[in-house]
Amino acid sequence: MATPELVNTNLQQLVAAAADLCRKPLRHAVLPIDGTQQLDDCCLRLEARQPDGSRWPQEDLELEIYRSGGELNLNLAWCDDPERPLLWHGSHPVWMDGTSGERCERPADGASLEALARRLRALLLPMD
């Protein structure tokens, strides 16, 4: 069986590769936000870089992966703007107002986040 460190590293690499694919041309580094690095309860920061390697912090995302009622769920939110809509993705995507938490329409730049959430769920479900 793999050690927890190996599982964590693989998860971070998997998330970075998925983010790079879904949010082209950005490149991503994935860092743990807290000490709970289990597939069922994990919070990661996706740090964005432009193709030339320069940091682009306004495109950084926070990804929370958690299990609720036997279902794997994801939350994606922009780190630097808590008022922007955030994406909850369980069996389907739901956009929520970052301030009130009420359901809202997908933002103009939200398609890539939905694609990322779908890809991550598809990649992570076989692992649980």
Side-chain angles (χ1 to χ4, degrees), residues 57-71:
Q58 63 268 30
E59 288 297 322
D60 288 358
L61 298 173
E62 182 176 310
L63 168 64
E64 182 182 4
I65 303 170
Y66 63 96
R67 187 168 300 283
S68 177
E71 179 95 12

Side-chain angles (χ1 to χ4, degrees), residues 32-106:
I33 292 178
D34 57 20
T36 57
Q37 292 300 296
Q38 303 169 19
L39 179 57
D40 288 0
D41 184 13
C42 181
C43 198
L44 302 169
R45 181 181 181 101
L46 284 67
E47 292 188 345
R49 292 191 178 276
Q50 296 183 38
D52 66 3
S54 58
R55 282 278 292 123
W56 202 0
Q58 63 268 30
E59 288 297 322
D60 288 358
L61 298 173
E62 182 176 310
L63 168 64
E64 182 182 4
I65 303 170
Y66 63 96
R67 187 168 300 283
S68 177
E71 179 95 12
L72 188 66
N73 297 285
L74 308 173
N75 282 338
L76 277 166
W78 281 270
C79 294
D80 287 349
D81 192 352
E83 294 183 7
R84 285 181 78 177
L86 58 97
L87 173 64
W88 171 86
H89 201 297
S91 57
H92 61 279
V94 176
W95 285 95
M96 296 180 287
D97 182 274
T99 305
S100 69
E102 293 180 11
R103 194 174 188 151
C104 66
E105 293 296 316
R106 177 176 77 184

Side-chain angles (χ1 to χ4, degrees), residues 2-20 28-46 63-67 72-74 116-117 119-128:
T3 64
E5 294 80 18
L6 181 58
V7 172
N8 294 345
T9 301
N10 289 343
L11 176 62
Q12 290 170 241
Q13 290 172 347
L14 183 137
V15 170
D20 289 352
H28 298 83
V30 177
L31 306 169
I33 292 178
D34 57 20
T36 57
Q37 292 300 296
Q38 303 169 19
L39 179 57
D40 288 0
D41 184 13
C42 181
C43 198
L44 302 169
R45 181 181 181 101
L46 284 67
L63 168 64
E64 182 182 4
I65 303 170
Y66 63 96
R67 187 168 300 283
L72 188 66
N73 297 285
L74 308 173
L116 175 57
R119 178 169 292 279
L120 288 173
R121 285 199 74 224
L123 291 169
L124 296 176
L125 282 176
M127 296 175 111
D128 53 345

